Amino acid sequence: MNNKFIQRYAWLVACLFVLTVQRTVAQTDPHFTQHYSFPMYVNPALTGSADGDYRASAIFRNQWGSITNPYRTIGLSFDARTNKNVALGVNILNQSAGDAGFNYLTSSFSFAYTGVKFGKDLSQHIVMAIQGGIMNRRVNSSKFKWGEQWDPITGYQSSNASNETFARTSSTVFDMGAGVLYFDAAPEKKTNIFGGFSAYHLNKPKDPIVAKTENTELNTIPMRYTINGGISYNLSERTRIVPHALYMHQGTASEFMLGVYGQINVNADTDFMLGGYYRFSDAISPYVGIDYKNFIIGLSYDVNASKLGSMTKNVNSIELSLSYIKRSGTRSIVDFIRCSRL
């Protein structure tokens, strides 16, 4: 093991620790490229936004492939519309980082009110929603590798003592979020817009894993703000393109992503989707998907475009999503517009 490899691996482990534990300097919540495939994590007001009676979704993200046991994030969700201007949903998310001994688990319930409609034919919609649940964060301190345990000659030595300590290694707290969404579902228009704003960790839950201090700000999970929106442009009766954007901010970290995809209706049962994302100062992500009958499958691949890519190999990420939407009949143009695939 040479010194260059030791320095590179130590630097990578340090970055992972900052990304997952240091709430005061970075984002603590996971992110997804196919964020609309896990909608209530972006905005609880997206509850019930599918073009069907209900939707069940699963998403899997694998990243940091150069690590022996990399980051794996799994999300499961279910949401449904009712005939009472209400939509309900439930979300479960779990992220694990084996080499860092870190686990992040959330479970939440979303309630959305969909009854605000105005404009011609009541085609303009505003959805307001709240979300509540629990959030558990755990670390296995025995898996962490600290600077004091690296020797410039022999490499990592687990027997070397470390002065790092954790006040606690597990924390479960109540968590709250809320959001609002606007979308234009007018079927006669060539262009329809949609956009929303959401905020998570509104109750400022405490997370005393890193340190127990009188400074409550250090023990508080920072609120996460998300702004999302886009335009659905119908090129023809069977083809549309959807440019869209997402901005997320938490603590001192922020993320800005631009994306576009095209969707072609091949026949009554099948749509093909092709597009991509650019996450500024981070990654380029091509995307391909198919909507066949009631199933939607999407695949994206994040190619690292930051300075981190030159420091390590195989830090790219792969993401796979699967959704089942119970459609009661032929998809209408209104449902076709309102359901954002990515």
Side-chain angles (χ1 to χ4, degrees), residues 52-64:
D53 299 328
Y54 62 83
R55 166 179 52 188
S57 300
I59 190 167
F60 171 77
R61 180 177 176 87
N62 189 84
Q63 60 192 116
W64 301 94

Side-chain angles (χ1 to χ4, degrees), residues 106-288:
T106 65
S107 177
S108 57
F109 174 81
S110 298
F111 175 93
Y113 177 69
T114 62
V116 181
K117 303 173 185 179
F118 57 96
K120 183 180 179 180
D121 300 325
L122 300 179
S123 59
Q124 311 298 307
H125 298 245
I126 293 178
V127 181
M128 296 171 286
I130 58 174
Q131 186 179 93
I134 59 171
M135 178 169 51
N136 175 267
R137 290 156 60 83
R138 303 191 308 273
V139 293
N140 184 345
S141 57
S142 65
K143 291 188 176 183
F144 278 87
K145 298 176 175 64
W146 305 100
E148 299 98 319
Q149 296 174 307
W150 290 91
D151 186 280
I153 299 176
T154 60
Y156 172 71
Q157 300 292 327
S158 59
S159 59
N160 291 351
S162 171
N163 295 323
E164 305 291 342
T165 60
F166 289 88
R168 294 173 60 181
T169 58
S170 179
S171 174
T172 301
V173 294
F174 176 71
D175 190 33
M176 289 186 62
V180 61
L181 173 73
Y182 163 80
F183 65 91
D184 176 6
E188 74 279 3
K189 289 186 177 179
K190 199 174 187 68
T191 301
N192 301 81
I193 65 173
F194 61 92
F197 172 79
S198 63
Y200 294 83
H201 315 313
L202 289 174
N203 57 320
K204 297 184 178 180
K206 306 301 179 184
D207 184 12
I209 289 180
V210 177
K212 186 175 183 180
T213 172
E214 294 180 357
N215 186 346
T216 58
E217 190 66 28
L218 294 178
N219 289 334
T220 300
I221 297 176
M223 286 191 288
R224 170 167 59 94
Y225 304 98
T226 302
I227 300 173
N228 69 289
I231 301 173
S232 175
Y233 183 76
N234 298 291
L235 297 175
S236 68
E237 291 184 357
R238 292 181 175 271
T239 306
R240 69 167 176 165
I241 59 172
V242 185
H244 51 288
L246 179 141
Y247 175 78
M248 188 172 355
H249 180 84
Q250 185 177 22
T252 58
S254 61
E255 173 185 307
F256 182 46
M257 192 178 342
L258 292 176
V260 63
Y261 74 94
Q263 183 166 347
I264 301 175
N265 179 233
V266 179
N267 55 47
D269 294 327
T270 308
D271 290 352
F272 282 113
M273 293 165 283
L274 184 66
Y277 275 106
Y278 176 62
R279 188 182 298 115
F280 282 73
S281 303
D282 187 11
I284 299 171
S285 309
Y287 166 86
V288 63

